[in-house]
Amino acid sequence: MSVTELTLEQTQQMMLYVSQKMQESKDLLSHADQVIGDGDHGIGMARGFESVEEKLSHSSYLNCGELFKSVGMTLLSTIGGAAGAVFGSLFMGMGKGLSDAQVINETNLSVALQAGLELIQKRGGAKVGDKTMIDALSPAVDAASDGKDLSMGEFLDKISLAAEEGKEKTKDMVSKIGKSKTQGERSLGFPDPGAISVTLIFKFMHEYVRSIQ
Amino acid sequence: MSVTELTLEQTQQMMLYVSQKMQESKDLLSHADQVIGDGDHGIGMARGFESVEEKLSHSSYLNCGELFKSVGMTLLSTIGGAAGAVFGSLFMGMGKGLSDAQVINETNLSVALQAGLELIQKRGGAKVGDKTMIDALSPAVDAASDGKDLSMGEFLDKISLAAEEGKEKTKDMVSKIGKSKTQGERSLGFPDPGAISVTLIFKFMHEYVRSIQ
Amino acid sequence: MPVIKKVINDPKQVAKESLEGLVLAYHGKVRILEDCSSIVRTDLPQGKVGLLVGGGSGHEPLFAGFVGENLADGSVNGNVFAAPSPDKILCATQAIDQGKGVLYLYGNYAGDNMNFDIAAELAADLDIETRTVRIWDDVASAPPERIEDRRGIAGDLFVIKVAGAAAASVSTLDDLFRITTKARDYTRSIGVALSPGSIPETGEYTFELGPDEIEIGMGLHGEQGVSRGKLIPADELVDSMIDRILEDMPLEQNDKVCVLINNLGASTMMELLIVNRRVMQRFSDDGIKVHDTLIGSFCTSQEMAGFSISLLKLDDELEKYYDTPADSFALKTR
Amino acid sequence: MPVIKKVINDPKQVAKESLEGLVLAYHGKVRILEDCSSIVRTDLPQGKVGLLVGGGSGHEPLFAGFVGENLADGSVNGNVFAAPSPDKILCATQAIDQGKGVLYLYGNYAGDNMNFDIAAELAADLDIETRTVRIWDDVASAPPERIEDRRGIAGDLFVIKVAGAAAASVSTLDDLFRITTKARDYTRSIGVALSPGSIPETGEYTFELGPDEIEIGMGLHGEQGVSRGKLIPADELVDSMIDRILEDMPLEQNDKVCVLINNLGASTMMELLIVNRRVMQRFSDDGIKVHDTLIGSFCTSQEMAGFSISLLKLDDELEKYYDTPADSFALKTR
Ligand SMILES: Nc1ncnc2c1ncn2[C@@H]1O[C@H](COP(=O)(O)OP(=O)(O)O)[C@@H](O)[C@H]1O
Ligand SMILES: Nc1ncnc2c1ncn2[C@@H]1O[C@H](COP(=O)(O)OP(=O)(O)O)[C@@H](O)[C@H]1O
Ligand SMILES: [Mg+2]
Ligand SMILES: [Mg+2]
Ligand SMILES: [Mg+2]
Ligand SMILES: [Mg+2]
C-alpha cells in the first residue's frame, strides 16, 4: 500500500529516524570535511541531530510547521558554524512553508523545500555551482516541484536521486564559498560535505517512508 | 721503534688528531646521551674540539703546560654545560700538572692526569660510582701512576684499557650526578656518555702514538 | 598516523571546560553567561559602546583571552572550529549592551557571518543596535579584488586591540565602526603550517604533510592552505611571506607598523624569534619603522606547527588606540 | 620516527639568531653583549644590586625573555640545553655590576653549577662580589631530604619575578640573596610530558613515548622524567600532580599561592585551561587562595608536548615583591 501523505505523528517519527541515522553518519561526514574543509562537519551534524532526537522525544507539536521549525531552531542553536545556520535555516524555512499543515505531502513539501532553499540563500548568498549544499538541495527542490501525483515513497526517491546527482556534480566544482574556498582547484575531485548531508537527509526520509509502507 | 716521550710539537699534533677524531664521534656521543641524558653530549664535544682544532692549527706554545691549558680553556668556553666545565678542567688541570715541561712522558702525564682529576672533582664533587666520566678517568689515573718504564704506546694502551673498563662499569651504576640522575634505576644498563668521551680521548691519543712509532 | 594525545577530560566538553578554566584564571574580571558559551567583563563601564568578539573554539587564547580592559567587552565562543549560534550571540549582546549598541567583530567565515547576521536581526527585534566588522587579513586566501572573500586569521588581534581601545573612548557605535574598519583595512597577514592540527572529538589530524612540505597560506582551522611548498631556510621563507604582504599593502620609508608573529600552536619560541630577526632586518633595510612587536601563541589551531606574520600599519589615530594600555588574560600591554 | 621540521637557518646558529630576534623585539630596552651570548638592560638604574639569570638555550622565552624592568638585569645564554661558559657569565657580570655585586640565579644542574661557580671565582678576582641562588623547584626529581639534588624547572619564573622586584628595591646583595632564597624555598613544581622534544642540531627526538604513555616528573631538557605512566583524564592527572606538590609543601586554609601552568612547548592553550579549571577547583575545595595565575609558554623544551604546574606560596614580603609590576619581553604584569 503506497502512502501519499504522512501524519504529524509519522512526520515526527520520520524526523526521529533521520536524527538517529545522521548521528551514525558522523565519521563519514567529518572525513569528507577533512579533505576539503576543516574536518568537523560530521561532529556538528551529529551534535545537532542528537539534540533534535532529544527534543523530538520529549515534545509534541500542533502542526508540521511547528515541528519543522523546532527541528530548525534546535539545529541552529546546537550545530553552530556554517552547517548550523544552513541546516537550521533549511528546516526553519520548511516549517514556515508548511505553516499549520497537519500532514505532509508532495504539494506542501515542495513548497516547504522551496522556502527552505530561499531562506538559506538569503542567509548565505550561495548560488548553484559554488560547491555547497545548495548544489544538492536546489536540484532536489526542482525535482519536487515538477513531479505530480506520486506516492510519498516515489516522491522522496525522486528528490533523493536529484540530490545525489547534484552532490556528485560538486566533485567537478571549484569551491567558491565556505572553508573549502581557499583551496581553489585543490577542492576538485571531492564532493561537498554539506551536499552529502542533504543527500543523506532525503535518503533517510525515504527509508523511513519505505519502512511504513 | 717504541717512543718513550712526545715532543711539544708531537703533543700538539696528538691533540690535533684527538680533536679531529672527537668531532667524528659526535653522533655516537649524542646518542649515548639521548638514552640517559639530554642528548647533546656529542654536539658539545664536537663543538669544543672543533674550536680546539682551530686554535691549535694557528697557535704555538712555549711548553706542554701552556698547550694543555689552552686546550682546556678552549673547551671550557666553547662546550658549555657539564662537559665544558668537566673536560675543560681536565685539560686545564693537566696543563697545571705539566707546568713548563717540553715533553710529555709516563711520569709527568701521570702527575698531570691526577691534577686533572682533582680539578674536576673540586668543581663538580662527583665521586667514583656516581656514574660520570670520573668512573672512566679515575681508573685511568690509577693505571697511569702504577705502571713503570713503559713506552708511550704501552702506557696509553694501559690507560685506555683502564678507562674502557671503568666506562663499562658505569652500565651497572645508578646515576647520582648530572642530567641522568633523575632517571635513577632507569639509567641502569647504559654507559655514561662522559665516560665514553674519556675512553675515546685516551684511545685517540694511543692511536696517534702508534701512528708515529 | 601518530596518535594524538591530549590532556582533556571529555572530548565533547573541551570548549566548555577550557572557557571555565580561562574565567578562573581571570580572578573575577570576567564572568560566564550560563548556557551562552559567553563571557563578559564584570567591570563594564556604564554607558560604553559595546564590543563583542567571537568565533569557534580551538584557537585559544583567541577570542576569550582578549576580553578585558580596553579590549573586548565580551566573547561568544562556539564549539571547536564552529561559529557560535545566534541565540548565544544574542545572549552576549544583551549582556554587553548599555544602550549605545554593540559592534560585532569576528573573522570572515561563512559560518560566522551567517550566525552573527541572524543574531543581529534578533537583536534588532529587541531594539539593540548592532554593527558588524568582519576581519579579512589573510592575503593568501583571495586576491585583492576579492578582499571580502578573505578570511580572518591572527590579524584579529590587532583589530581587537585597536577596537577595544576605541570602544573605551568613543561615544557612538558609528565611531567605533569607523575606527575598527580602518584597523581592519590596515591589517594584513600570511601564515604557513609545518604540521597539521587535530580536532579533539575526532582525534584525527585534519590533513597530512610530507616530511619536507609546508602548507602556504594556512588558516586557523583544519582547512588546508592555498598551496604546498618545500621547507626552506627561515630567512628565505620570511622574505617570501613579507613580499607577499607588501605586494598587497605597500609600505614606504618611514611608515610605521606593528608586527605580530603568531604561533599556530606547536612551533617553538626559538623559531619565532629567528623569524622576527629576519622581519626586523627586512624592515630596517627598507626604512620602515617597527612600532611594536608581539610574538607568541595568540590565535592557534590546536597542535598545528606553523606561524603567521601580521602587520598593522599605523596612522596617528590607530597609533593612539594601539598604544592604549590593555589588560586581559592573554594580552597585557603598558 | 616522524621528521622534525623547524623554521631555522643554520642549526648551529639557532641560539645566537634567536637571541638576536628577541633583542630586536624589545625595541631598545636590552642590548646584546657581543661575543658573550648575553643581553643586558639598557636602562639599568645606577647603583642597583645586580641580578643575572641564565642557562642553556632551547627553553625560550626563558631566560632572556625575563630581562627587564623589575625583573632580571641580564641573562647569559648557553647553547641549546648547555649551560653558558664561565667567560660569558663573567662578561655579563661585569656589564651588570654597579659596585653592589651581582646575584647569580639559575636552575640547579651540574653544568650550570660548575660554570657559574667558576665565573664567580673569576669575578672575585676582579673584585666583583657575587652570590648564588640555585632554583630546585621540581619535586619529582629528588626526595625532600635531598632537596639540593632537585633541578630547576618552570618555577624559575616565580623566583625570577620576586628576585627581580627585590633587586630593584633592596640596597644590598645580602638582602637580595635572602629574599630570593625564600622565594626559591616557597616554590614547587611538577611536570609531565606527552611527547618528546628535539635538539635542532641532531634533528632527533631525545626519547620515545608509546601512544598512551606519559613521562611523569619531566624536566626542561631531553633528559627523561622520573617514571612512565598512562595518559589519564585531565582532572585525574592534575589531582595526582597537585597531591605530589602538597605532600612536599603542605598548604593550609587561607594560605595564598600563585599558580603557574607552563606549556613545555606543543600543548594547546585549550588543555592548559582545562588543567587550570581543575587546579582552581581543588584549591577552592581546600580553601586555599589563588592570588594570581599565569598560563602559557614560559619555560619550554622545544617541541615537547606537556606541561608543569608550579606553586609559589606567598607571605607578606613575597606578595609585595610578586605584585610589583614587571615589564619584559615575555612577562608583563600590572
Ligand atoms: N553560504 C553557504 N550557503 C550554503 N551552504 C554553505 C554555505 N557555507 C557553507 N555551507 C555548507 O556548509 C558545509 C560545511 O559545514 P560545516 O563543516 O559543519 O561548517 P564549517 O564550514 O563552519 O566548519 C559546506 O560543506 C557547505 O555545504
Ligand atoms: N659533576 C660532574 N662531575 C664529573 N662529570 C660530570 C659531572 N656532571 C656531569 N658530568 C659528565 O658530563 C656528562 C654530560 O655531558 P653533557 O651532556 O655534554 O652536558 P649536560 O649534562 O650539561 O648536557 C655526563 O655524562 C658526565 O660524565
Ligand atoms: Mg567544517
Ligand atoms: Mg647532555
Ligand atoms: Mg568548522
Ligand atoms: Mg645539555
Side-chain angles (χ1 to χ4, degrees):
Chain A
M1 205 206 68
S2 71
V3 185
T4 56
E5 61 178 33
L6 298 189
T7 64
L8 175 56
E9 169 67 24
Q10 286 171 325
T11 309
Q12 187 159 347
Q13 286 304 319
M14 175 181 78
M15 288 314 298
L16 268 170
Y17 178 79
V18 169
S19 300
Q20 283 149 8
K21 299 301 277 186
M22 286 306 285
Q23 291 173 64
E24 288 170 21
S25 310
K26 181 175 174 177
D27 291 347
L28 174 120
L29 294 172
S30 287
H31 287 149
D33 198 31
Q34 263 175 31
V35 189
I36 61 165
D38 60 352
D40 63 351
H41 184 58
I43 297 176
M45 294 303 275
R47 184 172 56 230
F49 278 103
E50 187 183 336
S51 301
V52 170
E53 184 183 357
E54 167 82 14
K55 178 86 189 169
L56 295 189
S57 314
H58 297 98
S59 312
S60 60
Y61 297 92
L62 295 176
N63 53 51
C64 295
E66 294 292 304
L67 167 62
F68 276 83
K69 272 187 209 157
S70 173
V71 170
M73 287 295 294
T74 304
L75 292 178
L76 183 69
S77 68
T78 54
I79 300 183
V86 161
F87 288 92
S89 298
L90 171 60
F91 287 98
M92 282 167 71
M94 288 177 75
K96 243 173 112 185
L98 289 170
S99 176
D100 58 0
Q102 291 299 319
V103 298
I104 59 172
N105 55 35
E106 186 178 342
T107 317
N108 68 7
L109 260 186
S110 142
V111 171
L113 285 168
Q114 180 67 44
L117 175 64
E118 275 165 22
L119 191 54
I120 297 169
Q121 290 190 302
K122 181 188 150 208
R123 290 280 167 236
K127 300 175 307 295
V128 169
D130 287 347
K131 191 164 185 145
T132 68
M133 54 82 80
I134 296 286
D135 292 303
L137 182 59
S138 177
V141 170
D142 291 344
S145 64
D146 87 355
K148 289 278 165 289
D149 293 327
L150 302 174
S151 72
M152 277 301 274
E154 289 164 337
F155 177 67
L156 284 169
D157 191 26
K158 188 173 165 199
I159 295 179
S160 291
L161 269 176
E164 170 74 28
E165 277 171 32
K167 181 263 288 176
E168 281 300 303
K169 284 198 194 143
T170 64
K171 290 185 185 167
D172 304 325
M173 296 174 187
V174 172
S175 171
K176 297 270 161 49
I177 271 191
K179 292 248 162 67
S180 51
K181 77 177 171 196
T182 37
Q183 296 198 49
E185 307 275 316
R186 294 162 96 191
S187 65
L188 279 174
F190 306 102
D192 175 68
I196 303 180
S197 277
V198 170
T199 309
L200 290 177
I201 289 169
F202 291 138
K203 182 176 155 225
F204 298 143
M205 286 181 170
H206 182 213
E207 274 178 20
Y208 172 79
V209 170
R210 268 202 327 227
S211 78
I212 59 163
Q213 275 178 345
Chain B
M1 204 206 68
S2 69
V3 185
T4 56
E5 61 179 34
L6 298 188
T7 63
L8 174 54
E9 169 66 24
Q10 287 171 324
T11 309
Q12 188 159 345
Q13 288 304 319
M14 175 182 78
M15 287 314 297
L16 268 170
Y17 179 78
V18 168
S19 300
Q20 283 148 7
K21 299 301 277 187
M22 285 305 285
Q23 291 173 66
E24 289 169 21
S25 311
K26 182 176 173 177
D27 291 348
L28 175 121
L29 294 171
S30 286
H31 288 149
D33 198 32
Q34 263 175 30
V35 189
I36 61 166
D38 60 353
D40 63 352
H41 184 58
I43 297 176
M45 295 303 275
R47 183 171 58 229
F49 277 104
E50 186 183 337
S51 302
V52 170
E53 184 183 357
E54 166 82 13
K55 178 85 188 168
L56 294 189
S57 313
H58 297 97
S59 312
S60 63
Y61 298 93
L62 293 176
N63 52 52
C64 295
E66 294 294 305
L67 168 63
F68 276 83
K69 271 185 208 157
S70 172
V71 171
M73 286 296 294
T74 305
L75 293 178
L76 183 68
S77 67
T78 54
I79 301 183
V86 161
F87 288 92
S89 298
L90 171 60
F91 287 98
M92 282 166 70
M94 287 178 76
K96 242 173 113 184
L98 289 170
S99 177
D100 58 1
Q102 291 300 320
V103 297
I104 58 169
N105 55 35
E106 186 178 343
T107 317
N108 68 6
L109 262 186
S110 139
V111 172
L113 285 168
Q114 180 68 44
L117 175 63
E118 275 165 20
L119 192 54
I120 297 169
Q121 290 189 301
K122 183 189 150 209
R123 289 282 167 236
K127 302 175 306 294
V128 168
D130 286 348
K131 190 162 185 146
T132 68
M133 54 83 79
I134 296 286
D135 292 302
L137 182 60
S138 179
V141 170
D142 292 343
S145 64
D146 87 355
K148 288 282 164 283
D149 293 328
L150 302 175
S151 72
M152 277 301 274
E154 290 164 337
F155 178 66
L156 285 169
D157 191 27
K158 188 171 165 200
I159 295 179
S160 292
L161 270 176
E164 170 75 28
E165 277 171 31
K167 181 262 289 176
E168 282 299 306
K169 284 198 194 144
T170 63
K171 291 185 185 167
D172 304 325
M173 296 175 186
V174 172
S175 171
K176 297 271 160 50
I177 271 190
K179 292 247 160 68
S180 51
K181 78 178 170 196
T182 35
Q183 297 198 49
E185 307 275 316
R186 293 162 98 193
S187 64
L188 278 175
F190 306 101
D192 175 68
I196 302 179
S197 277
V198 169
T199 309
L200 289 178
I201 289 169
F202 291 138
K203 181 176 156 227
F204 297 142
M205 286 181 169
H206 182 213
E207 273 177 20
Y208 172 80
V209 169
R210 268 202 326 227
S211 78
I212 59 162
Q213 274 180 346
Chain C
M1 257 200 205
V3 183
I4 300 161
K5 292 180 186 171
K6 276 193 195 300
V7 178
I8 57 174
N9 294 301
D10 176 353
K12 293 194 179 187
Q13 301 297 324
V14 289
K16 178 171 175 288
E17 291 187 356
S18 58
L19 191 65
E20 288 171 10
L22 186 138
V23 170
L24 288 166
Y26 265 100
H27 297 289
K29 292 198 179 163
V30 296
R31 66 191 170 90
I32 286 205
L33 299 177
E34 289 301 335
D35 301 323
C36 291
S37 315
S38 300
I39 63 169
V40 183
R41 289 172 63 189
T42 46
D43 57 350
L44 218 50
Q46 280 221 329
K48 90 181 280 291
V49 178
L51 176 64
L52 176 64
V53 298
S57 291
H59 310 295
E60 291 69 24
L62 185 77
F63 289 89
F66 306 126
V67 175
E69 202 184 322
N70 295 327
L71 286 165
D73 296 319
S75 78
V76 48
N77 316 283
N79 276 294
V80 176
F81 296 169
S85 60
D87 53 316
K88 289 169 190 101
I89 300 170
L90 181 67
C91 166
T93 308
Q94 289 178 281
I96 286 172
D97 180 52
Q98 317 252 326
K100 294 261 178 74
V102 177
L103 184 77
Y104 289 167
L105 179 59
Y106 56 86
N108 184 40
Y109 295 93
D112 297 86
N113 298 350
M114 290 187 276
N115 284 286
F116 274 96
D117 282 354
I118 298 172
E121 285 178 20
L122 299 174
D125 291 345
L126 300 175
D127 286 325
I128 301 176
E129 197 191 351
T130 63
R131 297 205 64 177
T132 293
V133 176
R134 294 172 179 164
I135 303 167
W136 49 55
D137 54 313
D138 181 3
V139 299
S141 55
E145 58 277 14
R146 288 199 286 111
I147 197 164
E148 295 181 18
D149 269 350
R150 288 183 180 171
R151 63 191 164 194
I153 56 172
D156 286 2
L157 176 57
F158 281 147
V159 188
I160 295 172
K161 174 122 184 48
V162 170
S169 74
V170 298
S171 50
T172 68
L173 183 57
D174 284 349
D175 281 345
L176 178 56
F177 175 81
R178 181 186 60 76
I179 298 160
T180 305
T181 302
K182 187 179 5 169
R184 187 268 315 272
D185 291 342
Y186 278 52
T187 300
R188 294 290 186 287
S189 305
I190 185 166
V192 296
L194 278 72
S195 72
S198 74
I199 301 182
E201 210 174 323
T202 60
E204 287 169 23
Y205 286 115
T206 49
F207 58 91
E208 279 177 66
L209 271 174
D212 62 344
E213 280 181 335
I214 59 173
E215 188 74 31
I216 299 167
M218 190 69 212
L220 284 181
H221 309 85
E223 81 272 19
Q224 294 172 55
V226 170
S227 62
R228 289 266 157 117
K230 292 281 164 219
L231 182 59
I232 51 179
D235 288 357
E236 247 180 84
L237 180 60
V238 170
D239 280 348
S240 73
M241 293 167 76
I242 293 282
D243 287 346
R244 185 80 185 253
I245 293 181
L246 294 187
E247 229 169 71
D248 211 85
M249 180 173 72
L251 293 176
E252 288 168 21
Q253 226 180 329
N254 294 321
D255 273 351
K256 264 191 203 170
V257 294
C258 298
V259 171
L260 163 64
I261 298 169
N262 177 61
N263 193 346
L264 283 170
S267 284
T268 58
M269 177 57 85
M270 174 173 263
E271 290 163 276
L272 305 185
L273 294 172
I274 291 173
V275 166
N276 183 52
R277 174 177 171 274
R278 184 61 191 170
V279 170
M280 294 298 284
Q281 285 175 353
R282 280 290 303 258
F283 287 148
S284 133
D285 289 351
D286 295 354
I288 290 156
K289 294 187 179 145
V290 177
H291 180 71
D292 191 34
T293 305
L294 298 174
I295 307 181
S297 300
F298 297 102
C299 310
T300 61
S301 189
Q302 296 294 305
E303 54 278 278
M304 183 182 290
F307 68 98
S308 58
I309 300 175
S310 303
L311 299 185
L312 167 67
K313 187 172 146 183
L314 295 178
D315 67 3
D316 290 346
E317 186 180 40
L318 293 180
E319 182 172 342
K320 181 185 84 184
Y321 290 121
Y322 184 87
D323 285 347
T324 308
D327 190 36
S328 70
F329 169 68
L331 187 68
K332 294 191 206 314
T333 64
R334 295 218 289 167
Chain D
M1 258 201 206
V3 183
I4 299 160
K5 291 181 186 170
K6 275 193 194 305
V7 178
I8 56 174
N9 294 300
D10 176 353
K12 292 195 178 183
Q13 300 297 325
V14 288
K16 178 172 174 289
E17 292 187 356
S18 59
L19 192 64
E20 288 172 9
L22 186 137
V23 169
L24 288 167
Y26 265 100
H27 297 290
K29 292 197 179 164
V30 296
R31 65 191 170 91
I32 285 206
L33 299 176
E34 290 301 335
D35 301 322
C36 289
S37 317
S38 299
I39 63 169
V40 183
R41 288 172 63 188
T42 45
D43 57 350
L44 218 49
Q46 280 221 331
K48 88 182 281 289
V49 178
L51 176 65
L52 176 65
V53 297
S57 292
H59 310 295
E60 291 70 24
L62 185 75
F63 289 89
F66 306 126
V67 176
E69 202 184 323
N70 295 327
L71 287 164
D73 295 319
S75 77
V76 49
N77 316 283
N79 277 293
V80 176
F81 296 170
S85 60
D87 53 316
K88 289 170 189 100
I89 300 170
L90 182 66
C91 166
T93 308
Q94 288 178 281
I96 287 172
D97 180 53
Q98 317 252 326
K100 294 260 178 74
V102 176
L103 184 77
Y104 289 167
L105 181 59
Y106 56 86
N108 185 40
Y109 296 92
D112 296 87
N113 298 350
M114 289 187 276
N115 284 287
F116 273 97
D117 281 355
I118 297 172
E121 283 179 21
L122 299 173
D125 291 345
L126 301 175
D127 287 324
I128 301 176
E129 198 190 349
T130 62
R131 297 203 66 175
T132 294
V133 176
R134 294 171 180 165
I135 303 166
W136 48 56
D137 54 314
D138 181 3
V139 299
S141 56
E145 58 278 13
R146 290 197 286 112
I147 197 164
E148 295 181 19
D149 269 351
R150 289 182 180 172
R151 64 190 163 194
I153 54 172
D156 286 3
L157 176 57
F158 281 147
V159 187
I160 295 172
K161 173 121 185 49
V162 170
S169 75
V170 299
S171 50
T172 69
L173 184 57
D174 284 349
D175 280 345
L176 178 57
F177 175 82
R178 181 187 59 76
I179 297 159
T180 305
T181 303
K182 187 176 9 166
R184 188 267 315 273
D185 292 342
Y186 278 51
T187 301
R188 294 289 187 286
S189 306
I190 185 166
V192 295
L194 278 72
S195 72
S198 74
I199 301 181
E201 210 175 323
T202 61
E204 287 170 22
Y205 286 115
T206 49
F207 57 89
E208 280 176 65
L209 272 173
D212 62 345
E213 280 181 336
I214 59 173
E215 189 72 32
I216 299 167
M218 190 68 212
L220 284 182
H221 309 87
E223 82 271 18
Q224 293 172 56
V226 169
S227 62
R228 290 266 157 117
K230 293 280 166 222
L231 182 58
I232 50 177
D235 288 356
E236 247 181 84
L237 180 60
V238 169
D239 280 348
S240 73
M241 293 167 77
I242 293 282
D243 287 346
R244 185 79 184 254
I245 293 181
L246 294 187
E247 229 169 69
D248 210 86
M249 180 174 72
L251 293 176
E252 288 169 20
Q253 225 179 331
N254 293 322
D255 273 350
K256 264 191 206 172
V257 294
C258 298
V259 171
L260 163 64
I261 298 170
N262 177 61
N263 192 346
L264 284 170
S267 284
T268 58
M269 178 57 86
M270 175 173 262
E271 290 163 277
L272 305 185
L273 293 172
I274 292 173
V275 165
N276 184 53
R277 173 177 172 274
R278 184 61 191 169
V279 170
M280 294 297 285
Q281 284 175 353
R282 280 290 303 259
F283 287 148
S284 133
D285 290 351
D286 296 355
I288 290 156
K289 295 188 181 147
V290 177
H291 180 71
D292 191 34
T293 305
L294 297 173
I295 307 181
S297 299
F298 297 102
C299 310
T300 61
S301 189
Q302 296 293 304
E303 54 277 278
M304 184 182 288
F307 69 97
S308 58
I309 301 175
S310 302
L311 299 184
L312 167 67
K313 186 173 146 183
L314 295 177
D315 67 4
D316 290 346
E317 186 181 39
L318 293 180
E319 181 172 343
K320 182 184 82 183
Y321 291 120
Y322 183 87
D323 285 347
T324 307
D327 190 36
S328 70
F329 169 69
L331 187 68
K332 294 190 204 319
T333 63
R334 296 217 289 168

